[in-house]
Amino acid sequence: MKIRSSPLAVLCVLGATHAAAADYKCTGNRVEKAGVTQYTVRRSGMDVAIDRGGNPQGRAVRRGNGYDIEVNGSRVATLENGVIYRGSSRWASVADAQRLSDCPDPIAVTLWVLGQTGGL
């Protein structure tokens, strides 16, 4: 059986496989959305804090081989080997987080967790 495809069908498939741009982008110590700074990133060793207007929003605190992701001073998730866990259950992956923000892993995951908990 021979399958024929139209140029339009090929374009639709190609368009579906092209990933949409992330909403947020890291530029230096800033997280921007549509070119406007939304958050400031502060680093202390391997730890990362995400601030908005001088107020802490979330943190990625280095623990062993991964990170604890904190919101309002409480651990909400952990990041280990590219997987985001909520408690002992798999919640998402770093790839999921990087669909929201084009940032390094701990920053992208912290922003993603903030988005899931209503903090973005």
Side-chain angles (χ1 to χ4, degrees), residues 13-118:
V13 170
L14 290 174
T17 60
H18 179 69
D23 288 344
Y24 295 90
K25 180 179 179 169
C26 283
T27 305
N29 68 337
R30 299 182 320 273
V31 179
E32 298 177 344
K33 183 174 183 179
V36 177
T37 299
Q38 302 294 312
Y39 300 96
T40 302
V41 177
R42 290 184 297 112
R43 291 176 170 75
S44 176
M46 296 295 288
D47 297 351
V48 176
I50 309 288
D51 292 349
R52 182 177 218 163
N55 298 315
Q57 301 295 305
R59 292 175 25 131
V61 180
R62 184 73 175 191
R63 301 275 189 246
N65 291 330
Y67 286 89
D68 285 345
I69 309 302
E70 300 176 353
V71 176
N72 296 324
S74 297
R75 184 179 70 182
V76 174
T78 56
L79 169 61
E80 294 179 10
N81 299 320
V83 177
I84 305 166
Y85 294 93
R86 186 168 198 163
S88 60
S89 300
R90 185 184 193 284
W91 197 6
S93 69
V94 169
D96 296 324
Q98 289 178 330
R99 284 188 197 88
L100 172 69
S101 61
D102 183 11
C103 295
D105 295 2
I107 298 169
V109 170
T110 303
L111 290 168
W112 186 87
V113 169
L114 284 167
Q116 297 302 305
T117 58

